[in-house]
Amino acid sequence: MRKLLLAVPVVLLAAACGGGSGATTAQEQVVVRISDPGNSGFLAAAKKDGSLDAALAKVNAKVKWAGDFSVFAPAAQAINAGSLDIATGSITSGVTALAVKPSFKIFATVPPDLAGEGIVVKNGSPIKSVADLAGRSVAVGHGGTSEYLLLKALQTFNVPVDKVKRVYLLPPQTAPVFGSGKVDAWSTFSTFLIPAVTDLDARILADGEAIKSDNYVIYVAANKLLDEHPEVVKALFEFLKEGSTKEIADPAAYLNVFTQAGPQAVQGKQKDLVVDIQKKGKPAQAVTAPEIAKYQEVAKFFLDQKVLTAPLDVSQHVVDVTTLGKAKQ
């Protein structure tokens, strides 16, 4: 999942209807709780100028900016628990969440961030190719994007999986471990890859394109929200599509929305790399048959790699957002 890129993706959205039960009257607005977008990205700009509130007002909804998630797994758990309704992540994290009886469906997607994900090593590392990872250690997260990228790279470059040691770490733990040289490589995505390259003296060993990644970004909505307020989900989709298109056209305009300094600001080499990667991105879109087929390939890959323990039919967890209409009466 990507945040910015540091909001590309991975901004995470959360929506809930007004009141504890989610029910509303004709006069009440649906309160859409959205994870705080931070200092960059089109949602940060929307928070500042009120444009998402304006878009949702047309379907009797409004935004409540809430907490933050940097990875999909806890967001999926929150949706299943009934405390969130909309989230974004990656299909590689999504399939593991979909395997445990989720209460949400995928309603929008973004093609893989081929330039902003991959495997990084230190500039001085003797590792020059994916084949050189044999006998080495690679930091990954369990059962998500990070592990997928490593396993996919090993498959693409014909490296036996059992020849590479996977070191399972939570995202906040990984930067200091990698930076101190306790692992030889790090398989990750833009939120962490960009600062690794700019701040930890790393270089990209293999990016998503070289790995042949099918790691689509996904947006999911709780079944309850889809059933009771499909028009809100559709309006949000239209905003995501338009906003992501504008950001790709001019990434620099969506950086440092609230502040130009401090830990949230993107500056120097990091800013240049973010802009370069985001220009290569694609906007949000509805999920169609070709995307579902790619999702299914990811699910089969995880099953073959024993990350999943049973087959998963991803098509059962997808909704065609273009057909969503008025709320049920």
Side-chain angles (χ1 to χ4, degrees):
M1 175 155 220
R2 298 169 287 179
K3 183 172 169 110
L4 133 78
L5 224 357
L6 285 210
V8 133
V10 123
V11 172
L12 194 146
L13 312 176
C17 304
S21 67
T24 62
T25 68
Q27 291 74 37
E28 294 174 333
Q29 284 186 300
V30 180
V31 178
V32 183
R33 296 182 298 182
I34 300 181
S35 173
D36 193 285
N39 191 39
S40 294
F42 69 90
L43 284 176
K47 178 183 177 181
K48 185 175 183 179
D49 65 19
S51 55
L52 180 53
D53 258 329
L56 293 183
K58 297 175 182 178
V59 288
N60 197 35
K62 64 180 179 180
V63 181
K64 180 179 179 180
W65 299 102
D68 185 24
F69 293 86
S70 62
V71 292
F72 184 68
Q77 292 169 1
I79 293 176
N80 289 337
S83 57
L84 300 180
D85 283 313
I86 294 181
T88 185
S90 65
I91 189 58
T92 50
S93 296
V95 293
T96 54
L98 291 172
V100 291
K101 298 182 179 179
S103 57
F104 56 82
K105 290 184 174 64
I106 303 168
F107 73 91
T109 195
V110 178
D113 177 22
L114 299 179
E117 63 181 15
I119 299 171
V120 297
V121 297
K122 288 296 191 70
N123 273 316
S125 171
I127 299 172
K128 304 299 182 184
S129 68
V130 172
D132 292 338
L133 293 175
R136 306 283 185 166
S137 60
V138 183
V140 297
H142 194 279
T145 297
S146 178
E147 188 166 26
Y148 167 80
L149 291 170
L150 174 61
L151 293 173
K152 186 69 172 177
L154 298 181
Q155 180 190 69
T156 299
F157 291 94
N158 299 310
V159 180
V161 172
D162 61 2
K163 297 297 183 182
V164 178
K165 180 181 179 182
R166 280 172 270 178
V167 179
Y168 292 106
L169 297 168
L170 295 174
Q173 300 173 318
T174 312
V177 173
F178 174 76
S180 64
K182 293 179 181 178
V183 292
D184 298 302
W186 184 4
S187 179
T188 190
F189 48 96
S190 60
T191 303
F192 306 103
L193 181 145
I194 291 171
V197 170
T198 59
D199 302 340
L200 297 177
D201 192 34
R203 57 182 167 83
I204 299 173
L205 179 70
D207 63 11
E209 183 173 12
I211 291 170
K212 299 182 180 179
S213 169
D214 287 322
N215 187 32
Y216 282 72
V217 173
I218 57 171
Y219 290 88
V220 304
N223 294 336
K224 181 178 176 64
L225 184 66
L226 285 164
D227 288 342
E228 297 182 358
H229 298 288
E231 75 285 0
V232 173
V233 178
K234 188 169 186 178
L236 178 58
F237 166 71
E238 295 297 337
F239 189 87
L240 295 172
K241 184 170 64 172
E242 181 180 354
S244 57
T245 299
K246 290 179 178 178
E247 185 172 355
I248 291 165
D250 187 9
Y254 293 88
L255 297 178
N256 304 326
V257 172
F258 293 100
T259 179
Q260 297 285 332
Q264 284 195 317
V266 182
Q267 300 173 322
K269 293 181 179 179
Q270 190 171 115
K271 182 176 180 179
D272 294 339
L273 184 55
V274 168
V275 169
D276 182 59
I277 290 175
Q278 286 191 325
K279 283 181 177 178
K280 300 173 183 176
K282 302 292 183 183
Q285 63 182 67
V287 183
T288 64
E291 289 78 48
I292 294 174
K294 289 295 186 180
Y295 297 170
Q296 198 60 52
E297 288 179 18
V298 171
K300 183 179 185 303
F301 178 77
F302 265 178
L303 182 65
D304 293 343
Q305 297 291 332
K306 304 187 186 307
V307 176
L308 293 181
T309 58
L312 172 68
D313 183 359
V314 183
S315 68
Q316 298 302 305
H317 305 285
V318 176
V319 65
D320 182 356
V321 70
T322 65
T323 67
L324 296 182
K326 299 293 184 180
K328 295 179 179 179
Q329 300 299 315

